[in-house]
Amino acid sequence: MGWLENVLIEDKEIANERLELTDKNSLYFLGPNLSLRNCTVILKVSARNLIIVGARFFDCTFEVRQELKNHQQWVKASLKGCRFKGRLTGCDFGHWPNYGTGWEHGAIADCDFSEARLDGCRIMGADPATLRFPRWPCFTILDPIGHAPELRSVKWPGVHGDIIPDTLLQNPPATSALTYYAPAAARLLETTPEELKAVIEKFDCILY
């Protein structure tokens, strides 16, 4: 792997523009002191090529053209009225106190994930009621730590059926919602999405 070119997008306000973050040989820095409003952001780089610290996004659309995996730095951004499209795995959004430099900027409200595929993605320190989550085959557990005892009270399907309820308590206290992609979860449990859905349907704390 050669040297990466640093692309700094900071200390400015941008409105009604299209930003393409797609160069595999670039390291994109969003923030600090960056404000984007009504912009379309095209993402086609890995998490390590995308650094977010202290950026604010208002009514922006994020088109994730390449699956974005394990990107926790969304918790260093303020997201208001934004829309996400594409596949996101292991990503965190919202307000997570003391998560690295820049956590104080983290916030999420009024955002729409209905056109995204989320798997193992968490909402931290925010009200999930203001958000739109993807529907089945994704499912979202609200207040996963608080509902862990309730979710452990039933038998989940599969050889490893207890993985989901048993791991809920391992999430940080700030976790207010957790979204899974049913086919991936079913593979982990060694069951089928249909058998998984039969259990999910029993709980008011799970959106699907």
Side-chain angles (χ1 to χ4, degrees), residues 18 55 73 89 165 175 205 208:
R18 177 185 175 97
Q73 292 186 15
T89 300
T175 308
C205 63
Y208 60 92

Side-chain angles (χ1 to χ4, degrees), residues 134-207:
R135 305 300 293 267
W136 188 261
C138 291
F139 62 97
T140 301
I141 303 172
L142 302 175
D143 184 16
I145 298 173
H147 288 114
E150 179 185 352
L151 295 173
R152 292 180 71 180
S153 69
V154 303
K155 179 168 176 54
W156 288 68
V159 177
H160 309 291
D162 291 336
I163 286 179
I164 289 179
D166 283 356
T167 56
L168 295 180
L169 293 174
Q170 297 173 14
N171 288 287
T175 308
S176 55
L178 172 58
T179 302
Y180 288 108
Y181 178 55
R187 283 195 300 273
L188 186 65
L189 306 185
E190 294 189 31
T191 184
T192 64
E194 292 71 30
E195 289 182 330
L196 193 55
K197 190 176 186 182
V199 174
I200 288 168
E201 290 173 338
K202 299 177 181 179
F203 295 100
D204 293 336
C205 63
I206 302 182
L207 308 177

Side-chain angles (χ1 to χ4, degrees), residues 61-101:
T61 297
F62 294 92
E63 295 186 12
V64 182
R65 301 282 179 85
Q66 168 186 312
E67 183 176 4
L68 189 62
K69 297 181 180 180
N70 302 320
H71 197 262
Q72 276 78 42
Q73 292 186 15
W74 293 111
V75 300
K76 301 179 181 183
S78 174
L79 298 155
K80 174 80 170 175
C82 295
R83 178 186 298 271
F84 285 81
K85 303 177 181 182
R87 296 178 297 158
L88 300 107
T89 300
C91 296
D92 294 330
F93 304 83
H95 190 70
W96 187 351
N98 301 316
Y99 181 84
T101 305

